[in-house]
Amino acid sequence: MPFSTVQREPLINRLRLSQLALLAAMDRTGTLSAAAREVNLTQPAASRLLRELASDLRVVLFERVGRTLRPTAAGRALIRRAVGFLAELDRTQDEIEAIHDGLVGTVRLGAGVSSCYVVVPTALKLLMEQSSEIAVNIREGAMDELLGRLRTGQIDLLVGRFGHEQDLSDVKTEDLYRPSVVAVCGVKHPLASRRSLDWDQLYEQPWIFPEAGTAMRSAIESHFRKTKRRPAKASVESSSIQANVALLNSSRLIWVLSSDVAAYFAKLGALHVLMVEQLPAPGAFVLAWLVGRRLSPAAEKLADCLRAVGTL
């Protein structure tokens, strides 16, 4: 009987958690042997699980290419759902454990690096003041990586700044706020004592350029085109905030940064915000969640706190 017949047995009756765990491990590791080790199976046992699964479903899930297994379209669909299903189980376990510990829920938040200095801490402070019984797990990383985790259910909410090239067709986004762009230097830089500067003077200094492809790089390149000038020397290309702050104070470099993050580090005495015209924001910090996935009450509460940050 073909898999597509109306009388087919429900999928839930033909799947085992061990098979789903193996598929999710293959997605993470890329090979059957590595996936088998991750889920504590021998490779023959893992191969048998995949054969039984394909036989039960009556579809081809993998094809052999050389010495590796490559998932078919059906295999990719099942792997994607396996990852999402196991992520939902993990979230359920977190919620149950939170309830056992006297909490009312757990939220998994993905945070772009620059949002971890102002947006996220401020929102968490509000949340703790209003709902101290909610637990929050934070995953910091690149937006592309976090977007993938949002789609597979490994995180509930995502906050950060997206690039123009990212596909957000299945993601609901909501602007939080748009901080302007400022030029910064180390606290002992010769220009730090100047009360008035123009961009031409900054172009004469060596720079740290934001990484190519980032929103901040697009913003500064737009300014270069507008002024028809650019720095004579860019010693470093980096979007690592911590590394760049350290570099500013060990060399005579200029860098551009979101005004809110720059103010955070300036308050700590870690950098100096130069007295030069600020540039328009390259894009908003946004709050994102997956279309069609209902947020838990705890996630909704955190989302409200993130929205509140944009109005402060």
Side-chain angles (χ1 to χ4, degrees), residues 22 32-33 35-37 39-49:
L22 178 61
L32 178 60
S33 57
R37 288 194 297 271
V39 296
N40 297 316
L41 290 173
T42 64
Q43 186 163 338
S47 297
R48 185 169 62 253
L49 273 182

Side-chain angles (χ1 to χ4, degrees), residues 213-233:
T214 61
M216 194 63 68
R217 180 63 175 267
S218 298
I220 194 61
E221 289 289 352
S222 175
H223 185 69
F224 294 158
R225 290 191 296 270
K226 180 180 177 181
T227 60
K228 298 181 181 179
R229 284 199 63 186
R230 61 188 300 116
K233 182 179 180 181

Side-chain angles (χ1 to χ4, degrees), residues 170 289-294:
D170 58 344
W289 62 96
L290 203 63
V291 171
R293 179 180 295 156
R294 186 175 180 179

